[in-house]
């Protein structure tokens, strides 16, 4: 694998600023606090609020563009308008929503963006004081938050079905040093010394408690019943992630 140093950047995922200089041959990659990858904004804090705000802004721009020609045009039927809603507005708003953390603020903002479009389709205004549930029922549209949550659960199912024995170490041929994803030291004789002797330039080590803390009310619950601790969930997420990450500016 070849890396273009002029188009590559480095970013450390941490809640506080950490300096980490990555060197490719003689060049040090610039460290950034955020970058876009496949149209998604990632931040060093690992939060998605900025990306969600960007998606809401993009969806609002779509609605403004289609406002006169589609959304409030009386000659168009509700069916035609909802077809535009499902095929353009919703995909723009919910792009990569599997990564979203659904806080109360996020839920409120997504629902507000959704109802801003549907209310105009129904020919209503906020001052009409019609409930969102009544508007959705009239138009025959399911709540967008329900669709998001269902899709996130489906993505979680994909993670759960990944074999636990999947390879977690990616060796890249050529001049790029191998990249180590998460892997417990001591397994199969792996140590920092042995990794260094094999030519690895960087090793990621996750340090935590041997067992996850859980409240007594959750005693007896298992993954088969839908209960996950960080010790259960994070390995599944890591095994499903791309092995080796090079932040490349888009």
């Amino acid at each position: 694998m070849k890396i273009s140093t002029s188009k590559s950047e480095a970013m450390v995922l941490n809640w506080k600023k950490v300096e980490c200089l990555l060197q490719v041959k003689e060049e040090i990659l610039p460290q950034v606090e955020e970058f876009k990858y496949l149209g998604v904004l990632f931040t060093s804090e690992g939060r998605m609020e900025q990306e969600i705000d960007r998606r809401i802004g993009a969806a609002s721009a779509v609605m403004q563009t289609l406002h006169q020609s589609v959304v409030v045009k009386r000659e168009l039927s509700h069916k035609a308008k909802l077809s535009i809603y499902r095929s353009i507005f919703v995909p723009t708003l919910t792009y990569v929503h599997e990564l979203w953390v659904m806080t109360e603020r996020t839920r409120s903002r997504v629902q507000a963006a959704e109802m801003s479009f549907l209310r105009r389709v129904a020919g209503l205004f906020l001052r009409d004081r019609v409930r969102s549930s009544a508007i959705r029922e009239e138009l025959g549209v399911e709540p967008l938050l329900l669709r998001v949550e269902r899709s996130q659960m489906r993505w979680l199912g994909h993670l759960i079905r990944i074999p636990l024995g999947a390879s977690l170490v990616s060796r890249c041929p050529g001049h790029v040093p191998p990249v180590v994803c998460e892997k417990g030291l001591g397994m199969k004789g792996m140590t920092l010394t042995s990794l260094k002797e094999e030519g690895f330039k960087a090793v990621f080590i996750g340090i935590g408690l041997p067992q996850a803390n859980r409240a007594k009310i959750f005693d007896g619950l298992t993954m088969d019943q839908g209960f996950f601790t960080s010790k259960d969930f994070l390995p599944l997420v890591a095994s499903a992630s791309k092995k080796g990450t090079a932040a490349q500016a888009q």
Side-chain angles (χ1 to χ4, degrees):
M1 182 177 72
K2 295 183 179 181
I3 292 180
S4 172
T5 55
S6 63
K7 298 181 179 180
S8 299
E9 298 172 334
M11 187 179 74
V12 179
L13 288 174
N14 201 309
W15 64 275
K16 61 180 180 180
K17 189 174 182 179
V18 176
E19 184 178 21
C20 180
L21 301 179
L22 296 183
Q23 182 173 338
V24 178
K25 289 190 176 181
E26 303 300 325
E27 296 189 46
I28 296 179
L29 299 181
Q31 184 174 339
V32 298
E33 298 298 318
E34 61 182 40
F35 74 94
K36 290 182 183 179
Y37 180 68
L38 297 179
V40 181
L41 180 67
F42 293 91
T43 66
S44 59
E45 295 179 347
R47 303 168 68 90
M48 295 296 294
E49 281 83 354
Q50 291 186 42
E51 171 59 21
I52 294 173
D53 289 343
R54 290 180 64 249
R55 300 319 316 167
I56 293 175
S60 297
V62 168
M63 184 177 64
Q64 292 299 326
T65 302
L66 300 176
H67 186 265
Q68 295 296 332
S69 60
V70 175
V71 181
V72 297
K73 191 172 184 178
R74 295 182 178 181
E75 290 79 6
L76 288 179
S77 64
H78 283 175
K79 182 178 180 180
K81 294 178 180 179
L82 291 177
S83 177
I84 298 296
Y85 167 79
R86 295 188 180 97
S87 61
I88 299 179
F89 182 83
V90 171
T92 301
L93 176 59
T94 61
Y95 180 60
V96 197
H97 61 272
E98 293 85 358
L99 303 179
W100 291 2
V101 177
M102 300 303 293
T103 63
E104 286 301 319
R105 176 182 180 274
T106 298
R107 296 174 63 90
S108 177
R109 295 209 63 201
V110 170
Q111 182 172 342
E114 168 200 16
M115 294 312 303
S116 178
F117 193 107
L118 295 180
R119 193 175 292 108
R120 286 171 171 79
V121 170
L124 298 171
F125 300 91
L126 281 174
R127 63 175 178 266
D128 295 320
R129 303 183 67 85
V130 179
R131 286 183 171 273
S132 299
S133 57
I135 296 175
R136 293 195 195 95
E137 184 177 355
E138 177 188 347
L139 298 178
V141 178
E142 70 171 356
L144 187 57
L145 290 175
L146 178 62
R147 171 178 173 171
V148 169
E149 292 172 0
R150 185 169 61 241
S151 181
Q152 288 181 329
M153 292 302 296
R154 184 166 57 248
W155 172 245
L156 175 61
H158 293 325
L159 298 180
I160 294 175
R161 288 190 293 272
I162 294 176
L164 294 179
S167 175
L168 300 178
V169 178
S170 175
R171 298 171 180 267
C172 305
H175 298 290
V176 181
V179 178
V180 180
C181 300
E182 62 90 18
K183 184 74 173 181
L185 291 178
M187 297 179 64
K188 298 183 180 180
M190 180 180 293
T191 64
L192 287 175
T193 301
S194 64
L195 291 174
K196 183 177 180 180
E197 291 174 350
E198 291 182 27
F200 287 83
K201 302 299 183 183
V203 179
F204 175 81
I205 304 176
I207 301 176
L209 298 174
Q211 299 296 330
N213 291 327
R214 67 166 70 191
K216 291 184 179 181
I217 192 175
F218 299 122
D219 287 346
L221 295 180
T222 64
M223 288 192 293
D224 293 335
Q225 296 169 309
F227 178 80
F228 294 83
T229 67
S230 59
K231 299 294 182 182
D232 303 323
F233 182 70
L234 293 179
L236 297 175
V237 174
S239 63
S241 301
K242 292 183 178 179
K243 304 165 180 63
T245 301
Q248 183 154 332
Q250 296 295 313

